[in-house]
């Protein structure tokens, strides 16, 4: 591959939180710092700032849309609020971006799966991007089926990247 490595940081944002509440996102800075240490010209695509900006600039109160989902017995696209549909479209747009990157780094600490990260990993897999998962869930079929490399933590990810990655789909 010529040019800068383009990488995507996948990881839990919403998780099992209700509504638009998100989990701590500090891991994104750590991953970016590690990658840039070995690939200073790397281009980062982090969906978190794009989603955060979208939510903040939304003209429609997303909280109200999620409140309606919480109290309804089902979801019907034809009856969904504009806010929820726009948020869903943005999520799909950002998820598709994973398939256009060279390397996707999926941060899934502990044993807590992330449905959004699984979708990003699958998008990357379909798009031909290499996927490195940082997780202890090596026996999780979604992780195993979409990952080229699985390491248990950020320290091991750093060591792996320092060693000159050897993966099926070369990104450098």
């Amino acid at each position: 591959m010529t040019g800068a490595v383009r990488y995507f940081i996948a990881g839990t944002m919403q998780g099992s939180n209700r509504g638009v509440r998100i989990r701590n996102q500090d891991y994104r800075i750590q991953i970016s710092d590690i990658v840039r240490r070995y690939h200073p010209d790397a281009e980062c695509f982090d969906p978190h700032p794009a989603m955060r900006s979208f939510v903040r600039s939304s003209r429609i109160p997303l909280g109200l849309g999620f409140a309606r989902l919480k109290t309804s017995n089902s979801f019907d696209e034809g009856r969904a609020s504009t806010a929820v549909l726009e948020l869903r479209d943005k999520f799909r747009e950002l998820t598709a971006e994973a398939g256009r990157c060279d390397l996707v780094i999926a941060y899934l600490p502990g044993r807590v799966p992330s449905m959004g990260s699984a979708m990003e990993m699958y998008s990357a897999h379909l798009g031909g991007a290499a996927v490195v998962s940082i997780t202890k869930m090596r026996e999780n079929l979604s992780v195993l089926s979409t990952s080229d490399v699985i390491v248990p933590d950020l320290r091991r990810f750093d060591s792996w990247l320092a060693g000159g990655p050897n993966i099926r789909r070369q990104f450098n």
Side-chain angles (χ1 to χ4, degrees):
M1 182 191 129
T2 60
V5 174
R6 188 156 189 261
Y7 70 98
F8 183 104
I9 300 174
T12 304
M13 282 194 225
Q14 180 186 22
S16 59
N17 291 335
R18 293 178 183 246
V20 293
R21 285 188 17 239
I22 62 166
R23 295 176 176 263
N24 184 308
Q25 300 295 295
D26 290 348
Y27 66 89
R28 295 176 181 280
I29 295 167
Q30 293 174 284
I31 290 171
S32 182
D33 289 347
I34 292 168
V35 170
R36 289 209 168 102
R37 185 177 315 132
Y38 304 105
H39 297 278
D41 297 329
E43 178 188 342
C44 170
F45 184 86
D46 182 351
H48 177 252
M51 183 59 85
R52 184 179 59 220
S53 176
F54 173 81
V55 169
R56 286 183 178 160
S57 68
S58 179
R59 301 172 312 280
I60 302 160
L62 293 170
L64 181 59
F66 276 101
R68 288 184 188 141
L69 286 173
K70 183 179 176 181
T71 59
S72 71
N73 291 324
S74 61
F75 173 78
D76 181 340
E77 180 178 37
R79 295 180 180 176
S81 73
T82 302
V84 170
L85 294 176
E86 287 179 0
L87 184 65
R88 185 177 73 166
D89 288 346
K90 187 65 171 178
F91 173 76
R92 288 175 175 174
E93 172 192 322
L94 296 174
T95 298
E97 193 64 31
R100 294 188 279 272
C101 288
D102 301 301
L103 175 65
V104 172
I105 303 159
Y107 184 69
L108 303 165
R111 305 196 67 74
V112 179
S114 165
M115 293 179 71
S117 297
M119 290 179 67
E120 291 163 340
M121 294 164 68
Y122 191 62
S123 175
H125 177 75
L126 291 178
V131 177
V132 177
S133 294
I134 302 170
T135 186
K136 294 180 180 169
M137 294 187 289
R138 288 184 301 278
E139 70 285 359
N140 178 290
L141 192 54
S142 294
V143 172
L144 190 61
S145 297
T146 57
S147 299
D148 295 283
V149 173
I150 303 171
V151 295
D153 53 39
L154 287 170
R155 184 180 60 78
R156 294 272 173 82
F157 171 68
D158 190 316
S159 296
W160 173 80
L161 204 54
N166 181 14
I167 54 178
R168 183 170 42 91
R169 301 177 232 195
Q170 288 298 317
F171 66 92
N172 59 0

